[in-house]
Amino acid sequence: MRIRHALGAALLALGLAAGPAAADSSPSPGASDGSGGAPTQAGTSFRTATEIRQGQQATASGSTGDYLYWSFPADTGQRPTVKASVKLPQSHGSETWQLDVYDGLRRRQSCQYGASTRTAEPGTSSVELACVMRTVRGWSEPWANDPLPGTYYVRLTVVDLGAGDLGQPVNAEVRVDSKDIGGAAAVDGSLGKPLVPGIAVTSASQDDGSRHAVLSSFGSKDGWSSGWWSDRWVWTVIGGVLAALAGVGGYALTRGSGRPRNL
């Protein structure tokens, strides 16, 4: 009977632990289903970087030698993958293109894997670049360069080409997707605020036709997911419940089948 009650309590605890996990599986502020109008131009600096959502296919036209900038949000537990494709003119020499990713503090982020620098030989119609970032952490030491939740910048440019190819028209495509790593990358800590720039990265038109800076639109109404909760707590509860069941089972096996006889 006691074992039956213990099993019932264990199942109830598992149900309570799984409840928050299901609620926490809602899309993060950086997620997007790709719907809506995707950007068709890129910025020329960090301050004018064009905002894109994860899952959007952004495009831009430019010239070789230009610096093209986009920005996107990434939250705790996400591992972003940035991909870029550059369509080159029919006639060109050897060109080397590079894809760089920076965080909200403009620190260059390293890639776990992916070809972020590639050389297009003469006659090549396009060049494909990719950068799989490290998993975004909820907290980090001040001296570390770990990716933290907030705004990230993508810079696409050519780093080596002949003088005769400078200024030729090119078309670029950029897309950012993320894999949710979850509690495997959870840490005991969180940022007070995500690394989102306070200075605007977009601009808006006033009634008189002039344009003025506005705050970044990356803010989430529901808040960022950085905090104490992660699905790591589910496995912690499951481990505790299994340990309790093992203790109850061990006691039931060792206590004996009845009272000792009086001699």
Side-chain angles (χ1 to χ4, degrees):
M1 183 65 68
R2 293 180 180 179
I3 297 178
R4 185 179 302 174
H5 287 303
L7 289 175
L11 293 176
L12 178 61
L14 291 177
L16 293 176
D24 190 59
S25 62
S26 58
S28 62
S32 172
D33 58 1
S35 61
T40 57
Q41 60 181 359
T44 56
S45 67
F46 286 101
R47 289 177 57 87
T48 60
T50 299
E51 294 181 3
I52 61 175
R53 294 288 179 180
Q54 294 186 20
Q56 281 186 327
Q57 185 81 22
T59 58
S61 300
S63 304
T64 52
D66 291 343
Y67 285 88
L68 305 179
Y69 287 83
W70 294 268
S71 59
F72 67 93
D75 205 354
T76 304
Q78 293 182 341
R79 188 174 66 190
T81 298
V82 184
K83 295 182 179 180
S85 175
V86 183
K87 295 182 180 179
L88 305 174
Q90 294 182 353
S91 177
H92 65 85
S94 178
E95 300 180 0
T96 301
W97 287 80
Q98 183 167 305
L99 176 70
D100 296 309
V101 181
Y102 299 83
D103 66 5
L105 300 179
R106 300 186 184 180
R107 303 177 301 181
R108 187 176 183 274
Q109 295 294 311
S110 59
C111 303
Q112 279 190 318
Y113 50 88
S116 59
T117 302
R118 273 188 171 175
T119 300
E121 299 299 335
T124 306
S125 59
S126 64
V127 59
E128 306 289 335
L129 305 170
C131 175
V132 180
M133 297 172 52
R134 295 171 295 166
T135 303
V136 179
R137 296 162 55 90
W139 179 84
S140 176
E141 295 287 351
W143 47 262
N145 194 33
D146 296 322
L148 296 171
T151 300
Y152 284 83
Y153 297 94
V154 178
R155 184 177 72 182
L156 178 63
T157 188
V158 62
V159 294
D160 186 20
L161 80 164
D165 292 328
L166 188 63
Q168 289 193 1
V170 293
N171 294 316
E173 296 180 355
V174 171
R175 182 183 178 92
V176 180
D177 295 290
S178 285
K179 180 179 180 180
D180 189 6
I181 303 302
V187 294
D188 294 329
S190 62
L191 293 180
K193 294 182 180 179
L195 300 181
V196 175
I199 302 298
V201 293
T202 59
S203 61
S205 299
Q206 294 180 334
D207 295 337
D208 57 2
S210 62
R211 303 181 70 83
H212 67 286
V214 296
L215 293 179
S216 172
S217 63
F218 286 165
S220 171
K221 296 180 180 179
D222 299 328
W224 294 71
S225 66
S226 305
W228 66 272
W229 172 257
S230 70
D231 56 9
R232 178 178 59 172
W233 288 98
V234 176
W235 298 107
T236 302
V237 172
I238 292 175
V241 171
L242 293 178
L245 291 177
V248 172
Y251 172 76
L253 292 175
T254 58
R255 67 175 183 142
S257 58
R259 297 181 180 179
R261 296 180 180 180
N262 295 327
L263 298 178

